[in-house]
Amino acid sequence: MSRAPTLRLDRLLASLGYGSRREMQALAKNGRITFDGAPMTDADKHVPLTRDLPDHLHLDGKPIDPPPGIALMLHKPLGTTCSHKEAGPLVYDLLPTRWRMRDPAISTIGRLDKDTSGLLLLTDDGALLHRVISPKNHVAKRYRVTLDRPLRGDEAETFGAGGLMLESETKPLLPAVMETLSPTEALLTLTEGRYHQVRRMFAAMGNHVTALHRESMGGLDLPADLEPGTFRLMTDADLAAIFA
C-alpha cells in the first residue's frame, strides 16, 4: 500500500487560506494547532494529506478545511455567476471566504449561466475536472426546461436524431434525449456542453426557455435536501456516480 503524500504544516495551512506561513508558524508556537489532541508547536513538521486529515488536525479546536483534492456539489441558485471576476453575485461567494485563497484554486466543473439553477460541481483537482468535461467520456447532463410556448410536438424526434445546426455554428449537435412533462415543460439530456446549448436548441425550434434547472450529471442527481445556495463535500460514491 502506497503511503500518503505529506506537506509541511505551515505550507499546508497557508495553501488552505488560513494566512501566511509566518502566521502559521506563530499559531503553532502558541499551541493553537493540534494533531490528535497534541499541540504541534513545530510548523516545519510534515502532515499526511489524507481525506480524513480534518479529523486529526485542528486549529483553535476546530477541524481544518479539507486538504487539496476537494470536490463539492453545490445547488446553484438563480442570479449567481460561475466566474472569479465578473460583477455581481458569484457562486464562489457561497463558499467560506478563506476558500478563495486556496492553492490550488477551486474552480467550477463546467458552467451554468446566471439564469440557470441546479447541480454544479466544483474542485481543485485538475484531473477530475478534465475527466468530467472531456467529450470522450460523454457525461450526460439532464435539465428541466420550462418554455414560453407549448411544444410543437416534433422536438423529441428532431433532438434525438442528431444533426441539428445551431445558429452561427458549423458542426451539428449530437443526439439528445427529450421527455415531455407537459405542453410547456420537458426534460432534456445532453452529452455535450456548447454555449447556452439548451436555450439555443429550443430557439431553433421557434420557442423560448423561461426557466432552466440542471437535475443531474451522469448518474449523480442533485440531492433533494440540498437547498439553493448550499453545498456539501462529495464522497467517493458521489464521484463514482458521475461516470456510472
Side-chain angles (χ1 to χ4, degrees):
M1 181 181 296
S2 60
R3 296 180 61 184
T6 64
L7 191 65
R8 273 177 47 148
L9 178 63
D10 57 351
R11 188 183 297 274
L12 170 64
L13 294 178
S15 73
L16 296 180
Y18 284 100
S20 68
R21 289 174 62 183
R22 179 172 295 181
E23 289 170 331
M24 297 306 99
Q25 291 168 3
L27 292 179
K29 287 181 179 179
N30 291 328
R32 295 171 60 184
I33 304 171
T34 60
F35 192 92
D36 287 339
M40 288 191 70
T41 56
D42 184 358
D44 293 344
K45 286 190 175 181
H46 284 235
V47 292
L49 298 180
T50 56
R51 294 275 298 269
D52 65 347
L53 183 57
D55 295 335
H56 304 280
L57 186 62
H58 292 180
L59 173 59
D60 290 334
K62 297 179 180 179
I64 66 159
D65 296 331
I70 193 171
L72 314 170
M73 65 171 80
L74 182 147
H75 188 161
K76 179 190 175 296
L78 294 174
T80 54
T81 303
C82 297
S83 168
H84 283 285
K85 299 180 179 179
E86 292 185 27
L90 308 178
V91 294
Y92 300 101
D93 296 334
L94 302 172
L95 305 179
T97 302
R98 66 172 168 270
W99 285 20
R100 285 183 172 235
M101 305 299 294
R102 288 176 65 105
D103 182 19
I106 295 175
S107 300
T108 62
I109 300 179
R111 291 191 170 197
L112 293 176
D113 65 47
K114 184 176 181 179
D115 297 318
T116 301
S117 61
L119 180 62
L120 181 67
L121 307 184
L122 302 94
T123 188
D124 62 4
D125 183 340
L128 173 63
L129 187 153
H130 290 294
R131 186 183 175 203
V132 176
I133 67 175
S134 172
K136 296 179 181 179
N137 290 324
H138 301 290
V139 173
K141 296 168 283 285
R142 186 176 73 246
Y143 297 85
R144 182 175 292 267
V145 188
T146 304
L147 300 160
D148 182 48
R149 293 181 290 279
L151 292 160
R152 297 188 331 194
D154 61 343
E155 289 89 352
E157 181 179 358
T158 300
F159 295 160
L164 180 67
M165 296 291 297
L166 298 179
E167 185 178 356
S168 75
E169 294 200 11
T170 58
K171 182 180 179 181
L173 295 178
L174 295 175
V177 177
M178 192 189 98
E179 176 187 351
T180 301
L181 300 178
S182 77
T184 57
E185 192 173 29
L187 294 177
L188 184 64
T189 302
L190 312 175
T191 56
E192 54 187 340
R194 304 194 197 183
Y195 179 73
H196 288 174
Q197 182 174 342
V198 175
R199 299 179 189 278
R200 295 167 68 200
M201 287 174 68
F202 281 99
M205 304 298 289
N207 214 327
H208 173 70
V209 174
T210 59
L212 188 60
H213 179 81
R214 184 156 69 191
E215 294 190 340
S216 68
M217 294 182 67
L220 179 67
D221 293 331
L222 178 67
D225 61 347
L226 192 62
E227 297 294 329
T230 64
F231 69 92
R232 68 177 56 164
L233 295 174
M234 296 179 67
T235 65
D236 289 339
D238 293 329
L239 294 170
I242 297 173
F243 305 100

